[in-house]
Short mmCIF file of all heavy atoms in Angstrom, two decimals:
data_model
loop_
_atom_site.label_atom_id
_atom_site.label_comp_id
_atom_site.label_asym_id
_atom_site.label_seq_id
_atom_site.Cartn_x
_atom_site.Cartn_y
_atom_site.Cartn_z
N MET M 1489 -30.42 49.97 87.00
CA MET M 1489 -30.71 51.26 87.62
C MET M 1489 -32.21 51.41 87.84
O MET M 1489 -32.60 51.90 88.95
CB MET M 1489 -30.21 52.37 86.71
CG MET M 1489 -30.28 53.76 87.29
SD MET M 1489 -29.00 53.86 88.59
CE MET M 1489 -29.28 55.52 89.12
N ILE M 1490 -33.04 51.03 86.89
CA ILE M 1490 -34.47 51.14 87.07
C ILE M 1490 -34.95 50.16 88.18
O ILE M 1490 -35.78 50.51 89.00
CB ILE M 1490 -35.20 50.86 85.74
CG1 ILE M 1490 -34.88 51.98 84.76
CG2 ILE M 1490 -36.67 50.78 85.97
CD1 ILE M 1490 -35.44 51.78 83.41
N GLY M 1491 -34.33 49.01 88.22
CA GLY M 1491 -34.68 48.00 89.28
C GLY M 1491 -34.34 48.54 90.64
O GLY M 1491 -35.13 48.31 91.60
N LEU M 1492 -33.20 49.29 90.75
CA LEU M 1492 -32.83 49.84 92.06
C LEU M 1492 -33.83 50.91 92.47
O LEU M 1492 -34.23 50.97 93.65
CB LEU M 1492 -31.45 50.44 91.92
CG LEU M 1492 -30.89 51.10 93.21
CD1 LEU M 1492 -30.68 50.08 94.29
CD2 LEU M 1492 -29.61 51.89 92.91
N LEU M 1493 -34.28 51.73 91.52
CA LEU M 1493 -35.29 52.75 91.87
C LEU M 1493 -36.61 52.11 92.26
O LEU M 1493 -37.25 52.60 93.21
CB LEU M 1493 -35.46 53.70 90.65
CG LEU M 1493 -34.33 54.66 90.38
CD1 LEU M 1493 -34.61 55.40 89.06
CD2 LEU M 1493 -34.11 55.59 91.56
N ILE M 1494 -37.00 51.09 91.56
CA ILE M 1494 -38.30 50.43 91.90
C ILE M 1494 -38.17 49.80 93.29
O ILE M 1494 -39.07 49.92 94.13
CB ILE M 1494 -38.61 49.39 90.83
CG1 ILE M 1494 -39.02 50.03 89.52
CG2 ILE M 1494 -39.76 48.47 91.32
CD1 ILE M 1494 -39.17 49.12 88.35
N ALA M 1495 -37.01 49.15 93.57
CA ALA M 1495 -36.83 48.56 94.90
C ALA M 1495 -36.83 49.65 95.97
O ALA M 1495 -37.35 49.47 97.07
CB ALA M 1495 -35.51 47.75 94.92
N LEU M 1496 -36.22 50.80 95.70
CA LEU M 1496 -36.18 51.87 96.65
C LEU M 1496 -37.57 52.43 96.93
O LEU M 1496 -37.95 52.65 98.08
CB LEU M 1496 -35.27 52.99 96.11
CG LEU M 1496 -34.92 54.11 97.04
CD1 LEU M 1496 -34.10 53.57 98.21
CD2 LEU M 1496 -34.14 55.19 96.35
N VAL M 1497 -38.36 52.60 95.90
CA VAL M 1497 -39.75 53.11 96.08
C VAL M 1497 -40.59 52.09 96.88
O VAL M 1497 -41.30 52.47 97.80
CB VAL M 1497 -40.39 53.38 94.68
CG1 VAL M 1497 -41.86 53.61 94.82
CG2 VAL M 1497 -39.73 54.60 94.05
N ILE M 1498 -40.47 50.81 96.53
CA ILE M 1498 -41.25 49.80 97.25
C ILE M 1498 -40.77 49.74 98.71
O ILE M 1498 -41.57 49.64 99.66
CB ILE M 1498 -41.11 48.41 96.55
CG1 ILE M 1498 -41.82 48.44 95.18
CG2 ILE M 1498 -41.64 47.29 97.43
CD1 ILE M 1498 -41.65 47.21 94.39
N GLY M 1499 -39.45 49.80 98.93
CA GLY M 1499 -38.92 49.79 100.28
C GLY M 1499 -39.40 50.93 101.12
O GLY M 1499 -39.76 50.77 102.28
N LEU M 1500 -39.35 52.14 100.54
CA LEU M 1500 -39.82 53.32 101.28
C LEU M 1500 -41.30 53.24 101.56
O LEU M 1500 -41.76 53.65 102.64
CB LEU M 1500 -39.48 54.60 100.48
CG LEU M 1500 -38.02 54.97 100.47
CD1 LEU M 1500 -37.81 56.16 99.57
CD2 LEU M 1500 -37.49 55.25 101.86
N TRP M 1501 -42.10 52.72 100.62
CA TRP M 1501 -43.53 52.56 100.84
C TRP M 1501 -43.79 51.59 101.99
O TRP M 1501 -44.62 51.86 102.86
CB TRP M 1501 -44.21 52.10 99.51
CG TRP M 1501 -45.69 51.92 99.72
CD1 TRP M 1501 -46.64 52.90 99.70
CD2 TRP M 1501 -46.38 50.71 99.95
NE1 TRP M 1501 -47.86 52.36 99.91
CE2 TRP M 1501 -47.75 51.01 100.08
CE3 TRP M 1501 -45.98 49.37 100.07
CZ2 TRP M 1501 -48.69 50.02 100.30
CZ3 TRP M 1501 -46.93 48.42 100.29
CH2 TRP M 1501 -48.29 48.74 100.42
N LEU M 1502 -43.10 50.46 101.97
CA LEU M 1502 -43.25 49.50 103.09
C LEU M 1502 -42.84 50.05 104.42
O LEU M 1502 -43.48 49.83 105.42
CB LEU M 1502 -42.40 48.21 102.81
CG LEU M 1502 -42.99 47.26 101.72
CD1 LEU M 1502 -42.01 46.16 101.46
CD2 LEU M 1502 -44.33 46.69 102.17
N LEU M 1503 -41.77 50.86 104.43
CA LEU M 1503 -41.32 51.53 105.65
C LEU M 1503 -42.40 52.48 106.14
O LEU M 1503 -42.67 52.53 107.35
CB LEU M 1503 -40.02 52.28 105.35
CG LEU M 1503 -39.15 52.70 106.52
CD1 LEU M 1503 -38.65 51.42 107.25
CD2 LEU M 1503 -37.95 53.50 106.06
N LYS M 1504 -43.00 53.23 105.24
CA LYS M 1504 -44.06 54.15 105.64
C LYS M 1504 -45.23 53.38 106.23
O LYS M 1504 -45.78 53.79 107.28
CB LYS M 1504 -44.53 54.92 104.44
CG LYS M 1504 -45.62 55.96 104.74
CD LYS M 1504 -46.18 56.64 103.50
CE LYS M 1504 -47.19 55.72 102.85
NZ LYS M 1504 -48.04 56.29 101.90
N VAL M 1505 -45.61 52.26 105.59
CA VAL M 1505 -46.74 51.45 106.12
C VAL M 1505 -46.41 50.92 107.48
O VAL M 1505 -47.23 50.98 108.39
CB VAL M 1505 -47.08 50.34 105.11
CG1 VAL M 1505 -48.07 49.34 105.71
CG2 VAL M 1505 -47.66 50.96 103.84
N PHE M 1506 -45.21 50.36 107.65
CA PHE M 1506 -44.84 49.78 108.96
C PHE M 1506 -44.79 50.84 110.04
O PHE M 1506 -45.23 50.59 111.12
CB PHE M 1506 -43.51 49.02 108.85
CG PHE M 1506 -43.61 47.71 108.19
CD1 PHE M 1506 -42.71 47.33 107.20
CD2 PHE M 1506 -44.61 46.82 108.51
CE1 PHE M 1506 -42.79 46.09 106.59
CE2 PHE M 1506 -44.70 45.57 107.89
CZ PHE M 1506 -43.77 45.23 106.91
N PHE M 1507 -44.25 52.02 109.69
CA PHE M 1507 -44.15 53.06 110.68
C PHE M 1507 -45.55 53.58 111.06
O PHE M 1507 -45.84 53.87 112.22
CB PHE M 1507 -43.29 54.27 110.18
CG PHE M 1507 -41.84 54.10 110.57
CD1 PHE M 1507 -40.88 53.98 109.58
CD2 PHE M 1507 -41.46 54.12 111.89
CE1 PHE M 1507 -39.55 53.84 109.93
CE2 PHE M 1507 -40.11 53.98 112.23
CZ PHE M 1507 -39.18 53.85 111.24
N LYS M 1508 -46.43 53.66 110.07
CA LYS M 1508 -47.80 54.11 110.36
C LYS M 1508 -48.51 53.16 111.29
O LYS M 1508 -49.12 53.56 112.30
CB LYS M 1508 -48.58 54.24 109.04
CG LYS M 1508 -49.94 54.89 109.23
CD LYS M 1508 -50.71 54.90 107.89
CE LYS M 1508 -50.44 56.19 107.13
NZ LYS M 1508 -51.26 56.28 105.95
N ILE M 1509 -48.38 51.84 111.01
CA ILE M 1509 -49.00 50.85 111.93
C ILE M 1509 -48.31 50.82 113.27
O ILE M 1509 -48.95 50.80 114.29
CB ILE M 1509 -48.90 49.46 111.24
CG1 ILE M 1509 -49.79 49.41 109.99
CG2 ILE M 1509 -49.34 48.35 112.21
CD1 ILE M 1509 -49.60 48.17 109.14
N GLY M 1510 -46.97 50.96 113.28
CA GLY M 1510 -46.24 50.97 114.52
C GLY M 1510 -46.60 52.14 115.44
O GLY M 1510 -46.78 51.99 116.60
N PHE M 1511 -46.70 53.33 114.83
CA PHE M 1511 -47.06 54.52 115.60
C PHE M 1511 -48.48 54.42 116.13
O PHE M 1511 -48.77 54.86 117.22
CB PHE M 1511 -46.89 55.80 114.76
CG PHE M 1511 -45.49 56.23 114.69
CD1 PHE M 1511 -44.95 56.63 113.45
CD2 PHE M 1511 -44.61 56.21 115.76
CE1 PHE M 1511 -43.64 57.04 113.34
CE2 PHE M 1511 -43.31 56.63 115.68
CZ PHE M 1511 -42.80 57.04 114.46
N LYS M 1512 -49.38 53.81 115.35
CA LYS M 1512 -50.75 53.60 115.84
C LYS M 1512 -50.77 52.66 117.03
O LYS M 1512 -51.46 52.91 118.02
CB LYS M 1512 -51.65 53.07 114.74
CG LYS M 1512 -52.07 54.13 113.76
CD LYS M 1512 -53.06 53.59 112.73
CE LYS M 1512 -53.45 54.67 111.76
NZ LYS M 1512 -54.36 54.22 110.74
N LEU M 1513 -49.98 51.57 116.95
CA LEU M 1513 -49.93 50.66 118.05
C LEU M 1513 -49.29 51.28 119.30
O LEU M 1513 -49.79 51.10 120.42
CB LEU M 1513 -49.13 49.38 117.68
CG LEU M 1513 -49.88 48.43 116.67
CD1 LEU M 1513 -48.93 47.33 116.31
CD2 LEU M 1513 -51.12 47.90 117.29
N ILE M 1514 -48.20 52.04 119.08
CA ILE M 1514 -47.58 52.72 120.24
C ILE M 1514 -48.54 53.71 120.87
O ILE M 1514 -48.66 53.81 122.06
CB ILE M 1514 -46.27 53.41 119.78
CG1 ILE M 1514 -45.21 52.33 119.47
CG2 ILE M 1514 -45.74 54.34 120.83
CD1 ILE M 1514 -43.96 52.91 118.79
N GLY M 1515 -49.25 54.45 120.01
CA GLY M 1515 -50.24 55.40 120.56
C GLY M 1515 -51.36 54.70 121.32
O GLY M 1515 -51.77 55.22 122.37
N LEU M 1516 -51.80 53.57 120.81
CA LEU M 1516 -52.86 52.84 121.53
C LEU M 1516 -52.37 52.33 122.88
O LEU M 1516 -53.06 52.43 123.88
CB LEU M 1516 -53.27 51.63 120.65
CG LEU M 1516 -54.45 50.83 121.16
CD1 LEU M 1516 -55.73 51.66 121.10
CD2 LEU M 1516 -54.63 49.55 120.31
N VAL M 1517 -51.13 51.82 122.92
CA VAL M 1517 -50.56 51.31 124.21
C VAL M 1517 -50.45 52.48 125.20
O VAL M 1517 -50.85 52.33 126.37
CB VAL M 1517 -49.21 50.61 123.95
CG1 VAL M 1517 -48.49 50.37 125.26
CG2 VAL M 1517 -49.44 49.33 123.23
N PHE M 1518 -49.90 53.60 124.76
CA PHE M 1518 -49.75 54.75 125.65
C PHE M 1518 -51.10 55.27 126.11
O PHE M 1518 -51.29 55.66 127.26
CB PHE M 1518 -48.96 55.89 125.02
CG PHE M 1518 -47.49 55.69 125.14
CD1 PHE M 1518 -46.69 55.52 124.02
CD2 PHE M 1518 -46.92 55.75 126.39
CE1 PHE M 1518 -45.31 55.36 124.16
CE2 PHE M 1518 -45.53 55.58 126.53
CZ PHE M 1518 -44.76 55.37 125.42
N MET M 1519 -52.09 55.24 125.23
CA MET M 1519 -53.44 55.70 125.59
C MET M 1519 -54.04 54.81 126.67
O MET M 1519 -54.67 55.29 127.61
CB MET M 1519 -54.35 55.71 124.32
CG MET M 1519 -55.71 56.35 124.56
SD MET M 1519 -56.64 56.49 123.03
CE MET M 1519 -56.89 54.79 122.61
N VAL M 1520 -53.86 53.50 126.55
CA VAL M 1520 -54.38 52.55 127.56
C VAL M 1520 -53.67 52.80 128.87
O VAL M 1520 -54.31 52.89 129.91
CB VAL M 1520 -54.19 51.10 127.07
CG1 VAL M 1520 -54.43 50.13 128.19
CG2 VAL M 1520 -55.13 50.80 125.89
N PHE M 1521 -52.31 52.94 128.86
CA PHE M 1521 -51.61 53.15 130.14
C PHE M 1521 -52.02 54.46 130.82
O PHE M 1521 -52.23 54.52 131.98
CB PHE M 1521 -50.09 53.13 129.91
CG PHE M 1521 -49.52 51.76 129.82
CD1 PHE M 1521 -48.62 51.40 128.82
CD2 PHE M 1521 -49.87 50.77 130.73
CE1 PHE M 1521 -48.11 50.12 128.75
CE2 PHE M 1521 -49.36 49.50 130.69
CZ PHE M 1521 -48.49 49.17 129.66
N ILE M 1522 -52.11 55.53 129.99
CA ILE M 1522 -52.49 56.81 130.57
C ILE M 1522 -53.93 56.77 131.07
O ILE M 1522 -54.25 57.31 132.15
CB ILE M 1522 -52.30 57.93 129.52
CG1 ILE M 1522 -50.82 58.16 129.27
CG2 ILE M 1522 -52.94 59.22 129.97
CD1 ILE M 1522 -50.50 59.07 128.14
N GLY M 1523 -54.81 56.10 130.36
CA GLY M 1523 -56.18 55.93 130.83
C GLY M 1523 -56.29 55.15 132.12
O GLY M 1523 -57.00 55.55 133.05
N LEU M 1524 -55.54 54.09 132.25
CA LEU M 1524 -55.56 53.35 133.49
C LEU M 1524 -54.99 54.16 134.67
O LEU M 1524 -55.53 54.13 135.78
CB LEU M 1524 -54.71 52.03 133.37
CG LEU M 1524 -55.33 50.97 132.52
CD1 LEU M 1524 -54.35 49.81 132.33
CD2 LEU M 1524 -56.61 50.45 133.11
N PHE M 1525 -53.95 54.98 134.42
CA PHE M 1525 -53.39 55.84 135.43
C PHE M 1525 -54.39 56.88 135.87
O PHE M 1525 -54.59 57.14 137.04
CB PHE M 1525 -52.09 56.46 134.91
CG PHE M 1525 -51.51 57.43 135.87
CD1 PHE M 1525 -50.87 57.02 137.01
CD2 PHE M 1525 -51.60 58.82 135.64
CE1 PHE M 1525 -50.30 57.92 137.91
CE2 PHE M 1525 -51.08 59.71 136.52
CZ PHE M 1525 -50.40 59.26 137.67
N LEU M 1526 -55.13 57.51 134.88
CA LEU M 1526 -56.07 58.52 135.21
C LEU M 1526 -57.26 57.96 135.95
O LEU M 1526 -57.81 58.60 136.85
CB LEU M 1526 -56.50 59.27 133.94
CG LEU M 1526 -55.47 60.14 133.30
CD1 LEU M 1526 -55.99 60.78 132.00
CD2 LEU M 1526 -55.02 61.26 134.26
N ILE M 1527 -57.67 56.74 135.61
CA ILE M 1527 -58.78 56.09 136.32
C ILE M 1527 -58.36 55.86 137.76
O ILE M 1527 -59.15 56.10 138.72
CB ILE M 1527 -59.21 54.77 135.62
CG1 ILE M 1527 -59.97 55.10 134.36
CG2 ILE M 1527 -60.04 53.91 136.57
CD1 ILE M 1527 -60.24 53.87 133.48
N ARG M 1528 -57.13 55.41 137.98
CA ARG M 1528 -56.60 55.20 139.34
C ARG M 1528 -56.59 56.50 140.12
O ARG M 1528 -57.02 56.55 141.30
CB ARG M 1528 -55.23 54.56 139.27
CG ARG M 1528 -54.94 53.72 140.49
CD ARG M 1528 -53.73 52.86 140.27
NE ARG M 1528 -52.54 53.68 140.48
CZ ARG M 1528 -51.32 53.26 140.24
NH1 ARG M 1528 -51.13 52.03 139.74
NH2 ARG M 1528 -50.27 53.99 140.46
N VAL M 1529 -56.11 57.55 139.52
CA VAL M 1529 -56.06 58.86 140.19
C VAL M 1529 -57.47 59.33 140.54
O VAL M 1529 -57.77 59.80 141.66
CB VAL M 1529 -55.35 59.89 139.31
CG1 VAL M 1529 -55.54 61.31 139.86
CG2 VAL M 1529 -53.88 59.57 139.21
N ALA M 1530 -58.42 59.11 139.61
CA ALA M 1530 -59.80 59.57 139.86
C ALA M 1530 -60.42 58.75 140.98
O ALA M 1530 -61.17 59.29 141.78
CB ALA M 1530 -60.65 59.41 138.58
N LEU M 1531 -60.15 57.43 141.04
CA LEU M 1531 -60.69 56.60 142.12
C LEU M 1531 -60.12 57.05 143.45
O LEU M 1531 -60.83 57.11 144.47
CB LEU M 1531 -60.39 55.13 141.85
CG LEU M 1531 -61.21 54.50 140.73
CD1 LEU M 1531 -60.76 53.07 140.51
CD2 LEU M 1531 -62.71 54.50 141.10
N TRP M 1532 -58.81 57.34 143.50
CA TRP M 1532 -58.22 57.77 144.76
C TRP M 1532 -58.80 59.13 145.20
O TRP M 1532 -59.06 59.36 146.38
CB TRP M 1532 -56.69 57.87 144.66
CG TRP M 1532 -56.03 56.57 144.89
CD1 TRP M 1532 -55.37 55.83 143.94
CD2 TRP M 1532 -55.97 55.80 146.09
NE1 TRP M 1532 -54.91 54.65 144.52
CE2 TRP M 1532 -55.25 54.63 145.85
CE3 TRP M 1532 -56.45 56.07 147.39
CZ2 TRP M 1532 -55.03 53.69 146.81
CZ3 TRP M 1532 -56.19 55.10 148.37
CH2 TRP M 1532 -55.49 53.93 148.09
N LEU M 1533 -58.97 60.04 144.26
CA LEU M 1533 -59.57 61.34 144.60
C LEU M 1533 -61.01 61.17 145.10
O LEU M 1533 -61.41 61.85 146.03
CB LEU M 1533 -59.54 62.27 143.37
CG LEU M 1533 -58.19 62.90 143.04
CD1 LEU M 1533 -58.30 63.70 141.76
CD2 LEU M 1533 -57.72 63.78 144.20
N GLY M 1534 -61.78 60.30 144.46
CA GLY M 1534 -63.13 60.04 144.91
C GLY M 1534 -63.17 59.43 146.29
O GLY M 1534 -63.98 59.80 147.14
N ALA M 1535 -62.24 58.51 146.57
CA ALA M 1535 -62.17 57.94 147.92
C ALA M 1535 -61.81 58.98 148.96
O ALA M 1535 -62.37 59.01 150.05
CB ALA M 1535 -61.16 56.77 147.93
N ALA M 1536 -60.89 59.87 148.57
CA ALA M 1536 -60.53 60.95 149.51
C ALA M 1536 -61.69 61.89 149.81
O ALA M 1536 -61.92 62.29 150.94
CB ALA M 1536 -59.33 61.72 148.97
N VAL M 1537 -62.44 62.21 148.75
CA VAL M 1537 -63.62 63.09 148.95
C VAL M 1537 -64.65 62.43 149.82
O VAL M 1537 -65.22 63.05 150.67
CB VAL M 1537 -64.19 63.49 147.56
CG1 VAL M 1537 -65.58 64.13 147.69
CG2 VAL M 1537 -63.26 64.41 146.84
N LEU M 1538 -64.87 61.11 149.61
CA LEU M 1538 -65.82 60.38 150.48
C LEU M 1538 -65.38 60.36 151.91
O LEU M 1538 -66.19 60.55 152.84
CB LEU M 1538 -66.01 58.96 149.94
CG LEU M 1538 -66.87 58.80 148.66
CD1 LEU M 1538 -66.92 57.39 148.21
CD2 LEU M 1538 -68.30 59.27 148.95
N VAL M 1539 -64.09 60.15 152.14
CA VAL M 1539 -63.58 60.07 153.51
C VAL M 1539 -63.72 61.44 154.20
O VAL M 1539 -64.18 61.52 155.33
CB VAL M 1539 -62.12 59.57 153.50
CG1 VAL M 1539 -61.46 59.82 154.86
CG2 VAL M 1539 -62.06 58.12 153.13
N ILE M 1540 -63.33 62.48 153.46
CA ILE M 1540 -63.44 63.87 154.06
C ILE M 1540 -64.90 64.20 154.29
O ILE M 1540 -65.26 64.75 155.35
CB ILE M 1540 -62.74 64.89 153.14
CG1 ILE M 1540 -61.24 64.62 153.13
CG2 ILE M 1540 -63.07 66.29 153.56
CD1 ILE M 1540 -60.48 65.46 152.12
N GLY M 1541 -65.78 63.84 153.36
CA GLY M 1541 -67.20 64.09 153.57
C GLY M 1541 -67.77 63.33 154.75
O GLY M 1541 -68.56 63.84 155.55
N GLY M 1542 -67.34 62.07 154.91
CA GLY M 1542 -67.76 61.29 156.04
C GLY M 1542 -67.30 61.84 157.36
O GLY M 1542 -68.03 61.91 158.35
N LEU M 1543 -66.03 62.27 157.37
CA LEU M 1543 -65.48 62.88 158.63
C LEU M 1543 -66.25 64.15 158.97
O LEU M 1543 -66.59 64.39 160.15
CB LEU M 1543 -64.00 63.17 158.44
CG LEU M 1543 -63.07 61.98 158.52
CD1 LEU M 1543 -61.62 62.41 158.19
CD2 LEU M 1543 -63.10 61.37 159.90
N LEU M 1544 -66.50 64.97 157.96
CA LEU M 1544 -67.23 66.19 158.23
C LEU M 1544 -68.68 65.89 158.71
O LEU M 1544 -69.19 66.60 159.61
CB LEU M 1544 -67.27 67.10 157.01
CG LEU M 1544 -65.93 67.71 156.60
CD1 LEU M 1544 -66.08 68.50 155.31
CD2 LEU M 1544 -65.47 68.68 157.72
N PHE M 1545 -69.29 64.89 158.13
CA PHE M 1545 -70.65 64.56 158.51
C PHE M 1545 -70.72 64.04 159.91
O PHE M 1545 -71.58 64.48 160.70
CB PHE M 1545 -71.21 63.51 157.52
CG PHE M 1545 -72.62 63.09 157.86
CD1 PHE M 1545 -73.69 63.95 157.63
CD2 PHE M 1545 -72.84 61.87 158.43
CE1 PHE M 1545 -74.95 63.56 157.98
CE2 PHE M 1545 -74.15 61.46 158.74
CZ PHE M 1545 -75.20 62.32 158.48
N PHE M 1546 -69.81 63.12 160.28
CA PHE M 1546 -69.88 62.53 161.61
C PHE M 1546 -69.29 63.48 162.69
O PHE M 1546 -69.63 63.33 163.84
CB PHE M 1546 -69.14 61.20 161.64
CG PHE M 1546 -69.91 60.12 160.90
CD1 PHE M 1546 -69.42 59.50 159.78
CD2 PHE M 1546 -71.17 59.72 161.37
CE1 PHE M 1546 -70.15 58.52 159.11
CE2 PHE M 1546 -71.90 58.73 160.72
CZ PHE M 1546 -71.39 58.15 159.57
N ALA M 1547 -68.41 64.39 162.31
CA ALA M 1547 -67.87 65.33 163.27
C ALA M 1547 -68.70 66.57 163.42
O ALA M 1547 -68.41 67.44 164.21
CB ALA M 1547 -66.42 65.66 162.86
N SER M 1548 -69.77 66.67 162.62
CA SER M 1548 -70.61 67.87 162.62
C SER M 1548 -71.42 67.93 163.94
O SER M 1548 -71.91 66.91 164.39
CB SER M 1548 -71.57 67.87 161.43
OG SER M 1548 -72.51 68.86 161.55
N PRO M 1549 -71.51 69.08 164.56
CA PRO M 1549 -72.32 69.17 165.80
C PRO M 1549 -73.79 69.02 165.55
O PRO M 1549 -74.56 68.77 166.47
CB PRO M 1549 -71.99 70.56 166.31
CG PRO M 1549 -71.51 71.34 165.14
CD PRO M 1549 -70.91 70.34 164.20
N PHE M 1550 -74.23 69.08 164.29
CA PHE M 1550 -75.67 68.98 164.00
C PHE M 1550 -76.10 67.55 163.77
O PHE M 1550 -77.29 67.28 163.68
CB PHE M 1550 -76.01 69.77 162.76
CG PHE M 1550 -75.66 71.26 162.89
CD1 PHE M 1550 -74.67 71.82 162.18
CD2 PHE M 1550 -76.37 72.05 163.79
CE1 PHE M 1550 -74.31 73.16 162.35
CE2 PHE M 1550 -76.06 73.37 163.94
CZ PHE M 1550 -75.07 73.94 163.23
N SER M 1551 -75.13 66.61 163.61
CA SER M 1551 -75.54 65.20 163.44
C SER M 1551 -75.63 64.55 164.81
O SER M 1551 -74.73 64.58 165.61
CB SER M 1551 -74.49 64.47 162.58
OG SER M 1551 -73.30 64.43 163.26
N ASN M 1552 -76.81 63.96 165.07
CA ASN M 1552 -77.04 63.31 166.37
C ASN M 1552 -77.14 61.81 166.18
O ASN M 1552 -77.83 61.27 165.47
CB ASN M 1552 -78.35 63.85 167.02
CG ASN M 1552 -78.15 65.31 167.43
OD1 ASN M 1552 -77.06 65.67 167.77
ND2 ASN M 1552 -79.24 66.06 167.36
#
């Protein structure tokens, strides 16, 4: 009975450690994917702003 309790405590502790490491790795992977997606969105928004600014500059009646 005591051996079963010791095995149960050790098993639960190992499960906690594995889940803690697993959740950190999953969080890191999601953080990288979300970061890459946000960088892509920011680059597309920047390109759109540059294009609109260029169109406004070249279509302006004050630019000769």
Side-chain angles (χ1 to χ4, degrees):
M1489 188 70 180
I1490 292 176
L1492 179 66
L1493 287 175
I1494 291 172
L1496 190 64
V1497 167
I1498 291 173
L1500 288 175
W1501 180 79
L1502 284 174
L1503 198 63
K1504 182 186 81 164
V1505 169
F1506 284 134
F1507 270 116
K1508 187 184 269 187
I1509 293 171
F1511 282 135
K1512 282 185 181 179
L1513 288 176
I1514 290 172
L1516 186 67
V1517 168
F1518 275 115
M1519 189 174 64
V1520 167
F1521 279 133
I1522 290 172
L1524 289 174
F1525 176 73
L1526 289 177
I1527 286 172
R1528 206 166 82 186
V1529 168
L1531 287 175
W1532 277 111
L1533 284 175
V1537 167
L1538 285 176
V1539 167
I1540 291 170
L1543 284 174
L1544 289 175
F1545 178 73
F1546 287 116
S1548 170
F1550 301 112
S1551 65
N1552 292 328

